[in-house]
Amino acid sequence: MTNTMLLSWATFLYFGAFVFYLFRLVFRKEFWGQGAFYTVIGGLGAHTLSMLLRWKESYALGFGHAPLSNFYESLIFFAWALILLYVIVEWRIKDRSLGVFVLPAAFLLLAFASLTPSISNRIQALVPALQSNWLTSHVVACFLGYAAFTVAFAIGIMYFLRNIPLFGFIPEGETLNELLYQHAVLGFVFLTLGIMTGSVWAHYAWGSYWSWDPKETWSLITWLIYAVMLHARYVRGWKGDRMAVLGVNYLPGLHSYLQS
Amino acid sequence: MTKQKNPCWSFFTSVYLTITLLALMVILSIVGTLIPQQDAARGFIQGISPGLASFLQTMQAFDVFHSVWFFLLMLLLCLNLIVCSLNRWPLTWKQFRGAPLAEEKGLFRGLTPERIFMCDEDVETMTGRMEVLLSRKYRKIIVNCEKEDAIIICGERGRYSRFAVYAVHVSLLLLIMGAFTGAFWGWEGYVNIGEGETADAIDLKGAEGTKKLPFTIRCDKFLVAFHENGAPKTFRSDLTFLQDGKTLFQGPLLMNHTISLEGVRVYQASYGSSPDGRASLAFSRGGGEEKIIKVGPGESFALPEKNGTVQIARIEEDLMKMGPAVKIIVHSGEGDVSCWVFQHIDKIREMSPGVTEQIPMFNPALFKPYIFVLKGIEERHYTGLQISSDPGAPLVAAAAVFMMMGLMGTFFASHRRIWIKIERAGEKTKISVAARTNKHRVVLDREVRQLTERIKISLEAGST
């Protein structure tokens, strides 16, 4: 099982990157920040390779499906999307302070997926209901959305911590606000896409595009809360604390996913 | 203006109403996930006091998503969306169609130094050069010849994004319309069809009676395949759809690959084996030469020596967890003898030795000198089809397209306009850059920075 070995490497590298980001804060040397970034890139490479290998292995086993079919694979993809998004953000805003908050999330996701005994890492055959490209698109869209919400969540936490002297490295409130909004929007668009592709799948697999089961309902609730927030921002210019709370609300959707 | 003063109108234009309605929908949805709904509610009702149960029943708490409350919220949201959009429309239309490129008041006031340039060339040359620079990224260049020896050129991008928010609102209206269309005119039901059999009516969901289909469905074959680990791999029904004796369509139905015909959608929902399959029964005289015969339930056959007839009383796929079995009654001059014939008799004897002696009913050699052996029961599958019609589905699909387009336009596009004023300032020519956007200032600022960089480079190149 080379894919799990590569994944252990990715987990290890993400943890290393987190430590380097911490060093950067403690020693205030950009050297550590650069090291951390390259470590993240290395981890992402191993992570990507691991997913591709797993995909290939599933073909070798005769199942032939994208590595997005069960809880284990979803968590792996979630962590991957999170890191990918983080790399793009760091590269675009040229600010490394977010790393300390995002890297542990990815590391913990991978550790949770690998170490929890009840989560099987076997490549499994798909039952007929799950043999659908719409389902694959649904998982991709949803977890890209969750990744964006997780980054928004991290920014929300940074927003609340920014006035504590210990966290002097955090960028100013206005920048955080804008960044938080962008990620909330990105998550919202992906969530919308995820609900849509999920509906299409349900339409073809279960005979109804919407049947008000708890998972569907919670995704709608999450969607509605974000819709409220975006309208509130539009009319009242809600910013700061109230927008930062927004980051926390991605939890209901995720919670309902974990229930499954 | 009179419209705005109407309190009813202004109530529905309020975004606060939107926020309130959405928040109420969130609360109602949470109630809908916390209290078991519809069929699942039955057990829950038994566990709570009758008073509370009847109160919740009256409040329609056991079917929140089809309740009056939910309906009302949807209706109010629709009104809110329509009124709000109508209210904003004239302004949007004006911004879209009107003269958006004319100089706005105070546009060039308070510009930062990096947006102002001075050069030696005359106004006309610079106008030409600025036009080229601006038209690289912006459409619709308009040149306004102003008084006082000043020329203003304008460019814009993303004008259509002003309609994006309307696309989102229209998509929600379509979505709600589609959902209601489906709820009122749609139907859903189930039917089991055995291999070789036909059906032209289905049982509607929720015991609402039966419904005749516009065609007849024949199940030619049902097939289930398994993965090595025992999980199902494929469910497949080969179906033929007939109308007035003619074949409308013939083909396989698989899960995730539905068949849509005459506005009716057919799904592979379940399968099973029917108990009326035929048994293959072997018999011999005291272990001698075996004869095999295929019989169905209720049928009988004569034993060769004419000393009796055998009747098949029952055929069981799995009798008392001991596998397939057939109950036979042998009619003869000595009276009737009945016994069960198991397929896995050897295994049963092994598991519980002496069972055939203790329970004569289980002894396949009860009617001497014959010994009966069940070779197997022919599996006759039936396919379980879910059949539904949802005339609202195309509306919902259209809603999805509109919503995606609308969200992209709302969040990732903006109407950016840039003005460049070229004027004479004493001995020199002054170039000023001003810009406006309806949202996403960051994007505009970045674009202006790129433009001013280009102007700077162009001026430096021009002056050498």
Side-chain angles (χ1 to χ4, degrees), chain A residues 80-102:
Chain A
W80 182 83
L82 187 58
I83 292 293
L84 181 73
L85 196 62
Y86 171 73
V87 167
I88 294 171
V89 172
E90 184 182 317
W91 177 65
R92 270 194 57 185
I93 68 167
K94 313 267 184 266
D95 189 302
R96 299 190 205 276
S97 51
L98 198 56
V100 186
F101 297 91
V102 174

PDB file of all heavy atoms in Angstrom, chain A residues 80-102:
ATOM      1  N   TRP A  80      -6.544  17.786   1.313  1.00  0.00           N
ATOM      2  CA  TRP A  80      -5.841  18.179   0.084  1.00  0.00           C
ATOM      3  C   TRP A  80      -6.338  19.533  -0.418  1.00  0.00           C
ATOM      4  O   TRP A  80      -5.553  20.430  -0.740  1.00  0.00           O
ATOM      5  CB  TRP A  80      -6.038  17.093  -0.977  1.00  0.00           C
ATOM      6  CG  TRP A  80      -5.320  17.357  -2.251  1.00  0.00           C
ATOM      7  CD1 TRP A  80      -4.016  17.091  -2.525  1.00  0.00           C
ATOM      8  CD2 TRP A  80      -5.874  17.951  -3.442  1.00  0.00           C
ATOM      9  NE1 TRP A  80      -3.707  17.478  -3.807  1.00  0.00           N
ATOM     10  CE2 TRP A  80      -4.835  18.006  -4.387  1.00  0.00           C
ATOM     11  CE3 TRP A  80      -7.134  18.433  -3.784  1.00  0.00           C
ATOM     12  CZ2 TRP A  80      -5.023  18.529  -5.661  1.00  0.00           C
ATOM     13  CZ3 TRP A  80      -7.324  18.958  -5.049  1.00  0.00           C
ATOM     14  CH2 TRP A  80      -6.275  18.997  -5.972  1.00  0.00           C
ATOM     15  N   ALA A  81      -7.672  19.668  -0.472  1.00  0.00           N
ATOM     16  CA  ALA A  81      -8.273  20.920  -0.956  1.00  0.00           C
ATOM     17  C   ALA A  81      -7.883  22.082  -0.040  1.00  0.00           C
ATOM     18  O   ALA A  81      -7.593  23.187  -0.509  1.00  0.00           O
ATOM     19  CB  ALA A  81      -9.791  20.786  -1.022  1.00  0.00           C
ATOM     20  N   LEU A  82      -7.848  21.800   1.261  1.00  0.00           N
ATOM     21  CA  LEU A  82      -7.501  22.835   2.232  1.00  0.00           C
ATOM     22  C   LEU A  82      -6.085  23.345   1.993  1.00  0.00           C
ATOM     23  O   LEU A  82      -5.843  24.558   1.935  1.00  0.00           O
ATOM     24  CB  LEU A  82      -7.631  22.231   3.636  1.00  0.00           C
ATOM     25  CG  LEU A  82      -7.477  23.154   4.828  1.00  0.00           C
ATOM     26  CD1 LEU A  82      -8.499  24.268   4.759  1.00  0.00           C
ATOM     27  CD2 LEU A  82      -7.641  22.374   6.117  1.00  0.00           C
ATOM     28  N   ILE A  83      -5.153  22.415   1.818  1.00  0.00           N
ATOM     29  CA  ILE A  83      -3.765  22.802   1.607  1.00  0.00           C
ATOM     30  C   ILE A  83      -3.610  23.528   0.274  1.00  0.00           C
ATOM     31  O   ILE A  83      -2.938  24.559   0.181  1.00  0.00           O
ATOM     32  CB  ILE A  83      -2.840  21.567   1.660  1.00  0.00           C
ATOM     33  CG1 ILE A  83      -2.800  20.994   3.081  1.00  0.00           C
ATOM     34  CG2 ILE A  83      -1.442  21.921   1.202  1.00  0.00           C
ATOM     35  CD1 ILE A  83      -2.131  21.889   4.100  1.00  0.00           C
ATOM     36  N   LEU A  84      -4.266  23.004  -0.751  1.00  0.00           N
ATOM     37  CA  LEU A  84      -4.186  23.641  -2.068  1.00  0.00           C
ATOM     38  C   LEU A  84      -4.645  25.095  -1.979  1.00  0.00           C
ATOM     39  O   LEU A  84      -3.977  26.018  -2.454  1.00  0.00           O
ATOM     40  CB  LEU A  84      -5.037  22.874  -3.079  1.00  0.00           C
ATOM     41  CG  LEU A  84      -5.015  23.438  -4.495  1.00  0.00           C
ATOM     42  CD1 LEU A  84      -3.678  23.138  -5.155  1.00  0.00           C
ATOM     43  CD2 LEU A  84      -6.144  22.882  -5.342  1.00  0.00           C
ATOM     44  N   LEU A  85      -5.787  25.286  -1.335  1.00  0.00           N
ATOM     45  CA  LEU A  85      -6.345  26.628  -1.183  1.00  0.00           C
ATOM     46  C   LEU A  85      -5.367  27.507  -0.405  1.00  0.00           C
ATOM     47  O   LEU A  85      -5.123  28.663  -0.759  1.00  0.00           O
ATOM     48  CB  LEU A  85      -7.687  26.539  -0.449  1.00  0.00           C
ATOM     49  CG  LEU A  85      -8.581  27.752  -0.536  1.00  0.00           C
ATOM     50  CD1 LEU A  85      -8.974  28.000  -1.981  1.00  0.00           C
ATOM     51  CD2 LEU A  85      -9.829  27.555   0.305  1.00  0.00           C
ATOM     52  N   TYR A  86      -4.791  26.931   0.659  1.00  0.00           N
ATOM     53  CA  TYR A  86      -3.866  27.705   1.477  1.00  0.00           C
ATOM     54  C   TYR A  86      -2.650  28.148   0.662  1.00  0.00           C
ATOM     55  O   TYR A  86      -2.230  29.308   0.745  1.00  0.00           O
ATOM     56  CB  TYR A  86      -3.407  26.910   2.710  1.00  0.00           C
ATOM     57  CG  TYR A  86      -2.298  27.644   3.402  1.00  0.00           C
ATOM     58  CD1 TYR A  86      -2.596  28.798   4.124  1.00  0.00           C
ATOM     59  CD2 TYR A  86      -0.977  27.276   3.238  1.00  0.00           C
ATOM     60  CE1 TYR A  86      -1.592  29.543   4.692  1.00  0.00           C
ATOM     61  CE2 TYR A  86       0.039  28.013   3.805  1.00  0.00           C
ATOM     62  CZ  TYR A  86      -0.275  29.151   4.519  1.00  0.00           C
ATOM     63  OH  TYR A  86       0.720  29.908   5.067  1.00  0.00           O
ATOM     64  N   VAL A  87      -2.108  27.218  -0.123  1.00  0.00           N
ATOM     65  CA  VAL A  87      -0.934  27.547  -0.943  1.00  0.00           C
ATOM     66  C   VAL A  87      -1.258  28.703  -1.886  1.00  0.00           C
ATOM     67  O   VAL A  87      -0.479  29.654  -2.030  1.00  0.00           O
ATOM     68  CB  VAL A  87      -0.462  26.298  -1.725  1.00  0.00           C
ATOM     69  CG1 VAL A  87       0.534  26.679  -2.807  1.00  0.00           C
ATOM     70  CG2 VAL A  87       0.164  25.285  -0.771  1.00  0.00           C
ATOM     71  N   ILE A  88      -2.450  28.631  -2.504  1.00  0.00           N
ATOM     72  CA  ILE A  88      -2.852  29.706  -3.419  1.00  0.00           C
ATOM     73  C   ILE A  88      -2.959  31.037  -2.668  1.00  0.00           C
ATOM     74  O   ILE A  88      -2.486  32.068  -3.133  1.00  0.00           O
ATOM     75  CB  ILE A  88      -4.191  29.346  -4.110  1.00  0.00           C
ATOM     76  CG1 ILE A  88      -4.002  28.130  -5.026  1.00  0.00           C
ATOM     77  CG2 ILE A  88      -4.717  30.519  -4.927  1.00  0.00           C
ATOM     78  CD1 ILE A  88      -5.284  27.571  -5.588  1.00  0.00           C
ATOM     79  N   VAL A  89      -3.570  30.987  -1.485  1.00  0.00           N
ATOM     80  CA  VAL A  89      -3.749  32.215  -0.710  1.00  0.00           C
ATOM     81  C   VAL A  89      -2.393  32.806  -0.317  1.00  0.00           C
ATOM     82  O   VAL A  89      -2.139  33.994  -0.515  1.00  0.00           O
ATOM     83  CB  VAL A  89      -4.600  31.964   0.555  1.00  0.00           C
ATOM     84  CG1 VAL A  89      -4.617  33.202   1.439  1.00  0.00           C
ATOM     85  CG2 VAL A  89      -6.012  31.585   0.169  1.00  0.00           C
ATOM     86  N   GLU A  90      -1.509  31.953   0.208  1.00  0.00           N
ATOM     87  CA  GLU A  90      -0.206  32.474   0.646  1.00  0.00           C
ATOM     88  C   GLU A  90       0.541  33.096  -0.524  1.00  0.00           C
ATOM     89  O   GLU A  90       1.137  34.165  -0.413  1.00  0.00           O
ATOM     90  CB  GLU A  90       0.650  31.365   1.273  1.00  0.00           C
ATOM     91  CG  GLU A  90       1.951  31.948   1.808  1.00  0.00           C
ATOM     92  CD  GLU A  90       2.901  30.942   2.409  1.00  0.00           C
ATOM     93  OE1 GLU A  90       2.455  30.062   3.144  1.00  0.00           O
ATOM     94  OE2 GLU A  90       4.104  31.071   2.134  1.00  0.00           O
ATOM     95  N   TRP A  91       0.447  32.413  -1.664  1.00  0.00           N
ATOM     96  CA  TRP A  91       1.141  32.894  -2.852  1.00  0.00           C
ATOM     97  C   TRP A  91       0.546  34.216  -3.335  1.00  0.00           C
ATOM     98  O   TRP A  91       1.254  35.110  -3.770  1.00  0.00           O
ATOM     99  CB  TRP A  91       1.034  31.802  -3.925  1.00  0.00           C
ATOM    100  CG  TRP A  91       1.635  32.184  -5.230  1.00  0.00           C
ATOM    101  CD1 TRP A  91       2.941  32.440  -5.489  1.00  0.00           C
ATOM    102  CD2 TRP A  91       0.933  32.355  -6.456  1.00  0.00           C
ATOM    103  NE1 TRP A  91       3.108  32.753  -6.808  1.00  0.00           N
ATOM    104  CE2 TRP A  91       1.894  32.703  -7.425  1.00  0.00           C
ATOM    105  CE3 TRP A  91      -0.399  32.232  -6.833  1.00  0.00           C
ATOM    106  CZ2 TRP A  91       1.541  32.944  -8.747  1.00  0.00           C
ATOM    107  CZ3 TRP A  91      -0.756  32.463  -8.144  1.00  0.00           C
ATOM    108  CH2 TRP A  91       0.214  32.809  -9.087  1.00  0.00           C
ATOM    109  N   ARG A  92      -0.780  34.358  -3.200  1.00  0.00           N
ATOM    110  CA  ARG A  92      -1.426  35.561  -3.721  1.00  0.00           C
ATOM    111  C   ARG A  92      -1.303  36.758  -2.788  1.00  0.00           C
ATOM    112  O   ARG A  92      -1.077  37.873  -3.227  1.00  0.00           O
ATOM    113  CB  ARG A  92      -2.894  35.289  -4.018  1.00  0.00           C
ATOM    114  CG  ARG A  92      -3.113  34.787  -5.442  1.00  0.00           C
ATOM    115  CD  ARG A  92      -4.562  34.855  -5.830  1.00  0.00           C
ATOM    116  NE  ARG A  92      -5.104  36.200  -5.693  1.00  0.00           N
ATOM    117  CZ  ARG A  92      -6.377  36.502  -5.879  1.00  0.00           C
ATOM    118  NH1 ARG A  92      -7.228  35.554  -6.184  1.00  0.00           N
ATOM    119  NH2 ARG A  92      -6.819  37.724  -5.754  1.00  0.00           N
ATOM    120  N   ILE A  93      -1.529  36.559  -1.477  1.00  0.00           N
ATOM    121  CA  ILE A  93      -1.501  37.724  -0.588  1.00  0.00           C
ATOM    122  C   ILE A  93      -0.122  37.963   0.012  1.00  0.00           C
ATOM    123  O   ILE A  93       0.087  38.946   0.717  1.00  0.00           O
ATOM    124  CB  ILE A  93      -2.563  37.629   0.535  1.00  0.00           C
ATOM    125  CG1 ILE A  93      -2.220  36.509   1.524  1.00  0.00           C
ATOM    126  CG2 ILE A  93      -3.953  37.440  -0.036  1.00  0.00           C
ATOM    127  CD1 ILE A  93      -3.041  36.580   2.797  1.00  0.00           C
ATOM    128  N   LYS A  94       0.813  37.055  -0.263  1.00  0.00           N
ATOM    129  CA  LYS A  94       2.189  37.194   0.229  1.00  0.00           C
ATOM    130  C   LYS A  94       2.215  37.412   1.743  1.00  0.00           C
ATOM    131  O   LYS A  94       2.873  38.308   2.255  1.00  0.00           O
ATOM    132  CB  LYS A  94       2.893  38.380  -0.459  1.00  0.00           C
ATOM    133  CG  LYS A  94       2.721  38.403  -1.968  1.00  0.00           C
ATOM    134  CD  LYS A  94       3.851  37.691  -2.671  1.00  0.00           C
ATOM    135  CE  LYS A  94       3.730  37.791  -4.159  1.00  0.00           C
ATOM    136  NZ  LYS A  94       3.039  36.664  -4.787  1.00  0.00           N
ATOM    137  N   ASP A  95       1.428  36.644   2.433  1.00  0.00           N
ATOM    138  CA  ASP A  95       1.419  36.732   3.893  1.00  0.00           C
ATOM    139  C   ASP A  95       1.359  35.313   4.441  1.00  0.00           C
ATOM    140  O   ASP A  95       0.522  34.518   4.034  1.00  0.00           O
ATOM    141  CB  ASP A  95       0.194  37.523   4.361  1.00  0.00           C
ATOM    142  CG  ASP A  95       0.262  37.831   5.850  1.00  0.00           C
ATOM    143  OD1 ASP A  95       0.355  36.889   6.672  1.00  0.00           O
ATOM    144  OD2 ASP A  95       0.226  39.018   6.203  1.00  0.00           O
ATOM    145  N   ARG A  96       2.291  34.989   5.360  1.00  0.00           N
ATOM    146  CA  ARG A  96       2.387  33.608   5.821  1.00  0.00           C
ATOM    147  C   ARG A  96       1.708  33.380   7.165  1.00  0.00           C
ATOM    148  O   ARG A  96       1.729  32.266   7.683  1.00  0.00           O
ATOM    149  CB  ARG A  96       3.851  33.205   5.952  1.00  0.00           C
ATOM    150  CG  ARG A  96       4.631  33.280   4.659  1.00  0.00           C
ATOM    151  CD  ARG A  96       5.991  32.625   4.852  1.00  0.00           C
ATOM    152  NE  ARG A  96       6.992  33.129   3.931  1.00  0.00           N
ATOM    153  CZ  ARG A  96       7.150  32.677   2.691  1.00  0.00           C
ATOM    154  NH1 ARG A  96       6.357  31.750   2.226  1.00  0.00           N
ATOM    155  NH2 ARG A  96       8.084  33.183   1.913  1.00  0.00           N
ATOM    156  N   SER A  97       1.090  34.410   7.723  1.00  0.00           N
ATOM    157  CA  SER A  97       0.614  34.253   9.097  1.00  0.00           C
ATOM    158  C   SER A  97      -0.559  33.278   9.207  1.00  0.00           C
ATOM    159  O   SER A  97      -0.844  32.747  10.275  1.00  0.00           O
ATOM    160  CB  SER A  97       0.227  35.605   9.675  1.00  0.00           C
ATOM    161  OG  SER A  97      -0.648  36.269   8.806  1.00  0.00           O
ATOM    162  N   LEU A  98      -1.246  33.049   8.084  1.00  0.00           N
ATOM    163  CA  LEU A  98      -2.396  32.134   8.105  1.00  0.00           C
ATOM    164  C   LEU A  98      -1.959  30.679   8.333  1.00  0.00           C
ATOM    165  O   LEU A  98      -2.718  29.864   8.838  1.00  0.00           O
ATOM    166  CB  LEU A  98      -3.132  32.274   6.770  1.00  0.00           C
ATOM    167  CG  LEU A  98      -4.559  31.775   6.646  1.00  0.00           C
ATOM    168  CD1 LEU A  98      -5.430  32.428   7.702  1.00  0.00           C
ATOM    169  CD2 LEU A  98      -5.106  32.078   5.267  1.00  0.00           C
ATOM    170  N   GLY A  99      -0.698  30.385   7.956  1.00  0.00           N
ATOM    171  CA  GLY A  99      -0.212  29.003   7.986  1.00  0.00           C
ATOM    172  C   GLY A  99      -0.334  28.330   9.341  1.00  0.00           C
ATOM    173  O   GLY A  99      -0.709  27.169   9.436  1.00  0.00           O
ATOM    174  N   VAL A 100      -0.044  29.083  10.395  1.00  0.00           N
ATOM    175  CA  VAL A 100      -0.093  28.519  11.747  1.00  0.00           C
ATOM    176  C   VAL A 100      -1.494  28.019  12.073  1.00  0.00           C
ATOM    177  O   VAL A 100      -1.670  27.106  12.879  1.00  0.00           O
ATOM    178  CB  VAL A 100       0.335  29.600  12.767  1.00  0.00           C
ATOM    179  CG1 VAL A 100       0.423  29.009  14.151  1.00  0.00           C
ATOM    180  CG2 VAL A 100       1.644  30.199  12.359  1.00  0.00           C
ATOM    181  N   PHE A 101      -2.501  28.612  11.448  1.00  0.00           N
ATOM    182  CA  PHE A 101      -3.872  28.233  11.770  1.00  0.00           C
ATOM    183  C   PHE A 101      -4.417  27.147  10.840  1.00  0.00           C
ATOM    184  O   PHE A 101      -5.254  26.352  11.239  1.00  0.00           O
ATOM    185  CB  PHE A 101      -4.787  29.461  11.698  1.00  0.00           C
ATOM    186  CG  PHE A 101      -4.432  30.516  12.703  1.00  0.00           C
ATOM    187  CD1 PHE A 101      -3.535  31.525  12.385  1.00  0.00           C
ATOM    188  CD2 PHE A 101      -4.961  30.486  13.981  1.00  0.00           C
ATOM    189  CE1 PHE A 101      -3.190  32.482  13.316  1.00  0.00           C
ATOM    190  CE2 PHE A 101      -4.619  31.431  14.924  1.00  0.00           C
ATOM    191  CZ  PHE A 101      -3.730  32.444  14.593  1.00  0.00           C
ATOM    192  N   VAL A 102      -3.958  27.152   9.593  1.00  0.00           N
ATOM    193  CA  VAL A 102      -4.518  26.209   8.618  1.00  0.00           C
ATOM    194  C   VAL A 102      -3.800  24.857   8.654  1.00  0.00           C
ATOM    195  O   VAL A 102      -4.434  23.809   8.594  1.00  0.00           O
ATOM    196  CB  VAL A 102      -4.476  26.803   7.187  1.00  0.00           C
ATOM    197  CG1 VAL A 102      -4.906  25.781   6.164  1.00  0.00           C
ATOM    198  CG2 VAL A 102      -5.364  28.027   7.106  1.00  0.00           C
TER     199      VAL A 102
END
